Amino acid sequence: MIVINVGFQLVSIDPSEVKGIGRDGIGEIPVKDGGSLADAMHMVGLVPDKPFMTLVNGDPVAPENRDDKVLNDGDQIAVFPPIEGG
Amino acid sequence: MGWQEKVLRVDLTAGKITPEPLNMEWAETYIGQRGLGTKYLSEEMDPAVDALSPQNKLIFATGPLTATGASTGGRYSVITKGALTNAIACSNSGGQFGAYLKLAGWDMLILEGRSPEPVYLLVENDDVRLLPAKDFIWGETVWDTEDKIIAKHQNPNLKIASIGVAGESLCRYACVMNDRDRAAGRSGVGAVMGSKNLKAIAAYGSVGTKVANPQAFKEANAAARAKLDPSEPRKRLSSIGTHAMLDVTNSYGSLPTLNCRAVQFDGAASVNVKAAHTPRRSDGKANLQTNKACFACSIGCGRIASIDPEHFSVKDKPRYQISLGGLEYEGIYAVGPMCGVDDIDAATYASALCNEHGMDPISFGASVAAAMELYDIGAITKEETGGMALEFGSAEALVWAAEVTGTATGFGVDIGLGSKRLCEKYGHPDLAMVVKGQEFPGYDPRAMQGMGLAYATSNRGACHLRASPFQDDFAHIRTEGKAAIVKKSQDRNAAWDSTGVCLFAGNAWKVDDLVAQLAGALPGNWTVDGFFDAGERIWNLERLFNLRAGLTKADDTLPKRVMEEPALSGAGKGKVAEIGKMLPEYYELRGWTVDGEPSSQTLGRLGLN
Ligand code: SF4
């Protein structure tokens, strides 16, 4: 199986709750070629249909589009919680 | 039954205090707090009066769930015509004061006129007195005012709402502070209090509150609590606070930086949550000490911090080498990235001075940022500042600005005008990042189009709490669909802010959870639909106030910069705020004319004509 590597960054999420990510919230994970953003989130144990917000290479990917968002080698994923301001 | 059914009317001109019954018909229609206070203000006052004249009224209003035991139910609002905006002002605060006012037996205070001499109001249950503030607390900081009142009356349980020197000297964004570090922060409600020569209100109450249906209330309250306490938002707000938003907006590209010249801040890592948690070299302590909760709140999003005792801002000042109110997102955005300052101790000191002197840190920080840009382009020079190099990124300039503005000294008086009046004075009105005269909170509307619409249409000027487009904005940079999201969440928040419960509980609750508590606390039939209807009625009532005050459709806009200069980076790179694409749909959804006025049909539907 061909595998690609994608960068993963947790923003304002406790990294201890997420598999394979360093204590600084940053890591790199292998994903099967043709894998989606939803696949990558599954791999680290983030449930894709939880209301996390996601960016791939700085562009937002809405929750409903995560299954269709195919990843490329070297893509940078950022995930942050659905916080509201105050 | 949720209410004490009593209002205290205080004629400051005559020094007369009159209790009167709460208008229960209005309470049913406008819920309480924000809605009910706005109804009283609209009925009793011509909205065209000068905000700083004796004709303006100042209302302190609790909600039906304030002090009933509902989770986060300790809130009150200050409702008046805003000194910053000349529009309806409604500033909501937590802490303990609102709950104690209600526990003293009063749902609402209506303050009228202007006292001939500085005074403060003492409310101990039914014993209510106006007392002289001159040669006692007038001219004092908020912190000293609280200490002195408590010492004089020998009652450590008094909870105090007061203004600092900023409010006394009519700084346009002066707040009403309570419990040292909680604020009815926005729109200049503290300046209105200062214009009335009213320094403080001290409340102590032991009357208690009652609910209409104790069993139903108890059950609804327990169910809501069971949902809130283990929830992720509660844990997150408690551990990393609202401060966590800084990494989110910075990575997204919606963090207003350098007076909105940029949308991401190079120095973010020096002022983010991680920086606040990291022990420093000098004394091994972290900036963040602990969290703090308001009355009946199990969230505790408030921050308690300490400034590095070696830092230049506090080095020889033991007064500030203590635990004090710490950094929350909207404050740190404004005194940090917006000014280009990456010094967490300088930012914490500036925030502390905002608390001590009674200034809104959002408007203060954004006004300093505007002044820094005016300095950068040469419109302000050292001649005006008295020698200070007011440069973007200068921690020294930020610290100096907080000191001179809080004490209304020298150029601080100009910074205290707020961005709009400051930029007009120095010939560059387009550099003010404001809506209706009120400074932006920490979201740039180029990457967050829904927030842009929320700012433009907010009845109290730019605000992040009047609508909740966050989730859609962080998922889609588009204009489609934003009008409906903004309208619905405006109605929801207007009703929520009228209950006495904190908006943050809404991160874990649905509207049903709150309505069930209202239904237990109050007589009558409370439904989710009725809740949204009340919110829409309140929103339209605020709009009518503003139209009568002279505001028009032209005030539903954003600064030229965010509409014409594309974002330089981030998810919204190349985008501008496209308010013109969203506003017509928003007016239509509201049932307003193309000129932004509620149609007679809409007014009829809401019972407002
Ligand atoms: S969530 Fe924060 S602001 Fe709201 S009541 Fe609790 S401590 Fe106060």
Side-chain angles (χ1 to χ4, degrees):
Chain A
M1 186 177 71
I2 305 172
V3 169
I4 58 170
N5 289 309
V6 296
F8 216 101
Q9 188 192 358
L10 301 173
V11 181
S12 296
I13 295 175
D14 182 355
S16 66
E17 292 170 13
V18 182
K19 288 184 275 180
I21 303 291
R23 282 180 55 193
D24 56 359
I26 295 174
E28 194 176 76
I29 58 161
V31 182
K32 69 176 189 294
D33 194 17
S36 68
L37 175 58
D39 294 334
M41 292 178 73
H42 265 305
M43 285 197 58
V44 296
L46 289 170
V47 183
D49 59 1
K50 266 200 175 177
F52 292 111
M53 304 293 162
T54 44
L55 303 175
V56 174
N57 301 328
D59 292 327
V61 179
E64 62 272 23
N65 297 331
R66 282 181 200 144
D67 282 326
D68 297 334
K69 177 67 191 175
V70 175
L71 297 172
N72 295 307
D73 194 37
D75 276 353
Q76 297 296 320
I77 300 168
V79 183
F80 48 95
I83 55 179
E84 309 224 333
Chain B
M1 38 86 68
W3 291 118
Q4 308 287 19
E5 298 191 47
K6 272 164 60 189
V7 173
L8 198 58
R9 189 176 292 277
V10 182
D11 177 346
L12 291 159
T13 310
K16 202 169 137 215
I17 298 167
T18 320
E20 59 184 60
L22 184 72
N23 186 320
M24 292 308 294
E25 200 183 310
W26 290 353
E28 263 171 50
T29 324
Y30 295 92
I31 306 179
Q33 204 181 349
R34 174 173 164 186
L36 191 55
T38 305
K39 176 65 177 168
Y40 269 86
L41 194 73
S42 299
E43 291 288 334
E44 294 192 2
M45 192 186 98
D46 175 2
V49 302
D50 182 338
L52 296 176
S53 71
Q55 284 71 41
N56 196 5
K57 298 198 182 195
L58 185 69
I59 297 179
F60 284 65
T62 66
L65 296 178
T66 306
T68 54
S71 290
T72 76
R75 315 289 303 185
Y76 75 98
S77 288
V78 182
I79 299 115
T80 187
K81 181 172 180 176
L84 185 66
T85 55
N86 287 321
I88 185 78
C90 173
S91 282
N92 182 316
S93 183
Q96 310 289 321
F97 171 79
Y100 275 70
L101 180 64
K102 181 93 171 272
L103 290 167
W106 305 102
D107 299 310
M108 196 184 281
L109 301 177
I110 302 176
L111 301 142
E112 308 172 335
R114 172 184 289 153
S115 172
E117 292 287 340
V119 288
Y120 67 104
L121 185 72
L122 181 70
V123 182
E124 291 177 303
N125 295 330
D126 271 348
D127 182 10
V128 184
R129 286 174 280 162
L130 274 172
L131 298 165
K134 208 170 154 191
D135 302 324
F136 173 39
I137 46 175
W138 195 253
E140 296 287 353
T141 67
V142 165
W143 300 346
D144 292 337
T145 296
E146 292 196 9
D147 290 347
K148 286 190 167 191
I149 291 176
I150 285 169
K152 177 169 177 177
H153 295 282
Q154 296 283 301
N155 183 352
N157 292 317
L158 277 170
K159 307 297 173 193
I160 295 155
S162 68
I163 55 170
V165 171
E168 292 176 20
S169 50
L170 311 182
C171 164
R172 290 281 170 171
Y173 45 81
C175 350
V176 175
M177 299 296 305
N178 58 276
D179 305 288
R180 282 183 85 85
D181 51 26
R182 306 313 299 175
R186 304 230 67 195
S187 313
V189 297
V192 175
M193 188 153 155
S195 76
K196 300 197 168 304
N197 271 332
L198 178 65
K199 177 70 177 174
I201 302 166
Y204 170 70
S206 56
V207 172
T209 55
K210 290 194 190 81
V211 293
N213 184 339
Q215 189 55 29
F217 181 72
K218 202 173 146 199
E219 282 166 20
N221 189 8
R225 190 155 221 140
K227 217 175 203 180
L228 177 64
D229 287 358
S231 71
E232 280 184 47
R234 189 203 68 76
K235 285 187 215 154
R236 197 167 45 236
L237 278 167
S238 167
S239 61
I240 50 181
T242 59
H243 195 165
M245 182 62 92
L246 194 138
D247 283 335
V248 173
T249 50
N250 192 45
S251 60
Y252 197 61
S254 58
L255 173 58
T257 301
L258 302 172
N259 203 34
C260 293
R261 280 178 171 174
V263 292
Q264 289 177 309
F265 181 45
D266 289 342
S270 302
V271 290
N272 66 4
V273 171
K274 197 170 167 200
H277 279 87
T278 306
R280 55 194 171 226
R281 254 188 236 123
S282 63
D283 60 359
K285 287 187 187 163
N287 175 279
L288 182 70
Q289 302 280 293
T290 185
N291 66 332
K292 183 177 174 185
C294 303
F295 185 89
C297 177
S298 59
I299 301 174
C301 75
R303 307 286 94 182
I304 298 297
S306 75
I307 301 168
D308 185 342
E310 301 282 301
H311 190 262
F312 75 89
S313 59
V314 300
K315 207 160 182 356
D316 301 311
K317 301 176 194 160
R319 181 176 175 85
Y320 303 100
Q321 295 177 7
I322 55 166
S323 295
L324 30 74
L327 297 171
E328 300 182 23
Y329 174 62
E330 308 302 338
I332 180 60
Y333 124 75
V335 298
M338 190 67 163
C339 296
V341 171
D342 64 0
D343 179 330
I344 198 165
D345 290 298
T348 309
Y349 177 72
S351 301
L353 289 201
C354 285
N355 289 341
E356 187 186 23
H357 297 303
M359 298 185 286
D360 170 17
I362 304 178
S363 286
F364 164 73
S367 296
V368 174
M372 285 174 164
E373 183 157 3
L374 290 167
Y375 185 85
D376 191 56
I377 62 170
I380 288 174
T381 65
K382 283 188 181 166
E383 206 173 309
E384 282 85 20
T385 65
M388 174 54 67
L390 200 49
E391 288 164 347
F392 274 128
S394 167
E396 287 77 12
L398 174 70
V399 161
W400 167 84
E403 289 171 346
V404 296
T405 310
T407 53
T409 315
F411 188 70
V413 175
D414 275 4
I415 301 174
L417 292 171
S419 313
K420 177 174 180 277
R421 291 171 176 86
L422 176 79
C423 292
E424 281 168 1
K425 177 169 177 179
Y426 290 98
H428 294 271
D430 290 344
L431 295 183
M433 296 302 117
V434 298
V435 173
K436 300 182 178 75
Q438 178 157 285
E439 288 76 9
F440 281 10
Y443 311 90
D444 190 288
R446 287 167 283 198
M448 297 177 72
Q449 297 286 333
M451 190 56 83
L453 181 64
Y455 285 179
T457 57
S458 160
N459 289 321
R460 70 167 184 178
C463 178
H464 58 294
L465 296 170
R466 287 298 183 259
S468 306
F470 296 94
Q471 295 205 19
D472 197 73
D473 274 359
F474 284 134
H476 302 282
I477 302 184
R478 62 185 182 196
T479 51
E480 294 78 23
K482 301 291 185 188
I485 292 167
V486 167
K487 189 253 175 205
K488 189 171 178 192
S489 57
Q490 283 174 339
D491 293 347
R492 169 198 178 268
N493 291 6
W496 199 291
D497 276 343
S498 301
T499 63
V501 157
C502 179
L503 262 183
F504 284 179
N507 287 324
W509 293 346
K510 294 207 175 338
V511 166
D512 315 46
D513 300 307
L514 182 56
V515 168
Q517 294 176 82
L518 284 172
L522 295 168
N525 183 24
W526 291 86
T527 63
V528 170
D529 285 350
F531 184 84
F532 276 96
D533 287 349
E536 187 177 9
R537 187 176 303 113
I538 293 162
W539 191 269
N540 278 272
L541 185 67
E542 292 174 340
R543 178 75 175 185
L544 292 174
F545 182 99
N546 283 352
L547 293 171
R548 284 164 61 208
L551 277 74
T552 68
K553 176 187 179 172
D555 296 294
D556 296 339
T557 191
L558 294 169
K560 214 162 135 191
R561 167 163 287 169
V562 297
M563 295 199 294
E564 292 183 3
E565 295 174 23
L568 297 175
S569 64
K573 186 175 176 183
K575 303 259 192 259
V576 294
E578 299 191 89
I579 197 74
K581 283 192 179 165
M582 298 178 280
L583 202 56
E585 186 190 353
Y586 172 85
Y587 283 175
E588 202 179 318
L589 286 170
R590 280 244 164 259
W592 294 355
T593 66
V594 289
D595 290 324
E597 294 179 11
S599 68
S600 52
Q601 206 184 354
T602 301
L603 294 177
R605 176 169 60 79
L606 297 169
L608 283 170
N609 43 11

